[in-house]
Amino acid sequence: MSENPKNSAEFAVAQETLQAAFDIDFGRRLEDTFTDAHPVVGSVVKGVVVNVDSEAVTIDIGLKTEGKIPLKEFEDFNTGDVKVAIGDLVDVFVENLDDRKAEARLSREKARREEVMAQLEGAQKANEPVKGVIFGKVKGGFMVDMQGVLGFLPGSQLDAKPITDASPYMYTPLDFQVVKVDRKRNNLIVSRRALTEDGTLADRDSLLSGLKEGTRTKGTVKNITDYGAFLDLGGIDGLLHITDIAWHRIGHPSEVLKVGQVVDVVVTRFDEKTQRVSLGMKQLNDDPWKSVDKTYPIGNKVTGKVTNLTDYGAFVELAPGVEGLIHVTEMSWTKKNVHPSRILQSGQTVTIQVLEIDRDKRRISLGLKQCMENPWEAFTRAYKQGDKVSGTVRSMTDFGLFVALTEEIDGLVHVSDIAWDKAGDDAMAAYKKGDKVEAVILSIDTAKERVALGIKQLTGEGPAGGKAEGGVKKGDIVTVKVTDTDADSITVDLNGAEIIIKARDLGVAKAEQDPNKFKEGQEIQAKVISTMGRKVGLSIRALVQDEERAAVAEYANQEESGESALAAALKAAGAKSKAKAPKAEAAAAADDAEAAPKAKKAPAKKKAE
């Protein structure tokens, strides 16, 4: 079959048309149909500001198209001010176009980002540092604001040395090295360590070679901790401990130092092996303790400021670097067991007396009460024994009433000195806390800081003029008559008053304490051992014990060279015994002689019988 030329030509045209159709990107054309894509979409273009209101800025980008951008996107990066006016030419990023409505979705921030990203790329190629601010901490590192572009700083790239506290680096403009820029993934990685290493290695060796103890230098505070501050000496770091910042006590290094501050320091210690440097600031000034004994002589009164209160006293600053302690026992003449905070306050200026100085241990003992009048001395000048006083019952105890005589001095009314005819709880029942009472001063003991008071003494020496029942007083020896006996006591008559003597007071020995040994009507002697009001206490045992003590004392008081009464009595008894001995012997012999014949006759009589 032969080929038809006409058909061949037609087939060739169709082949070219088909090949052209295959070259068309139908997917892209389909996307353009639905998205209205335009060559400027996704790029930065120049636009003219045609309107500015309180919320947005309208910009004409040409192509008979306008777009609105929120006003906040025009804020200045450093100052936060909005500076834009009609007619300004600005760079904007075209996110999308709508040709049918002649509207565009624009972004000033993205345009800035593209501009900054271009600058960062240039800085990376030129190996130049760029400014940024660390504003947040994330897992593995920190977030950095690089002029509006978000970057990531790995934790290991913050400094050449490990940093435990990153707070001094936060929110502070710092220099960074751009490590990686990826626009498509919006990925930006920076480093600060690279800059610090490059900047310090060059000077480090020369600095270490000239570093030694006693060297004075300058340092920049780069980090502050609870125990001190780390200073950059220009290639090497040194530690300034809190105790070496000042001679006086400071609570935290931040009270004196701040990050970025340049200070004068002296090298106090340098370890060449570990390259550790210890620094000091206070060593630049003289130690105030060298002349403290001349500045504050013992016995002088000085002024100071209370810096700290503890359970055992208060610390007072006399001068920067010089503190003394007021022990709690030296704070008040009368307040013995109170916390120092009830007498002094932190920050208060006080006048104190220097009591003792130990320059080697850096201790000064101070006294506060020595600068005040002793209230006990004032009281003894104003009152004496026998004076009548009045006061308020401050407190009540089982043994009496405490009466406030002055603001600082209390007197005690013992329970036995409240009333003549009442004792114990009965006497206390008539009083309560806060009552106003009058009393007589019975005694004043300034050494023991005690005042004894008596209320019953206001009415005299008792209902019977100082005499108890029967007209007797304590210590008298009386003769009484037994009127009755009981299983554990006897009752006696004392001038018409019946007195009970307990069994334990009937004698010294246990056998003598039997009431049954006494008969009604029997007269006995006893000693008056107590008088409470008109009540009398008698004791035979006390009388016997007094007699025994008197006899022992008399015997002990005899002169060593002379004979005691006992020895004399024994000697006399011995002489009489010898005088009677011959007579006794003669009488015994006569009795034997008389008895002998009778003894001989007795058997004969018996035989006769």
Side-chain angles (χ1 to χ4, degrees), residues 360-373:
D360 296 334
K361 295 183 178 180
R362 294 177 176 265
R363 294 177 180 175
I364 299 180
S365 297
L366 304 172
L368 179 64
K369 69 182 183 181
Q370 287 78 3
C371 297
M372 309 173 186
E373 184 181 18

Side-chain angles (χ1 to χ4, degrees), residues 9-32:
E10 290 177 357
F11 178 78
V13 174
Q15 190 73 15
E16 293 176 358
T17 304
L18 183 61
Q19 185 62 41
F22 284 142
D23 292 339
I24 297 175
D25 188 350
F26 287 99
R28 179 62 182 271
R29 292 198 174 188
L30 180 63
E31 182 180 351
D32 293 344

Side-chain angles (χ1 to χ4, degrees), residues 57 79-80 101 143 193 200 215 258 279 304 393 398 422 434 487:
V57 177
T79 64
K101 296 182 178 180
M143 302 304 296
R193 177 177 178 177
T200 57
T215 302
K258 61 181 180 180
L279 306 173
V393 177
D398 293 339
K422 295 179 181 179

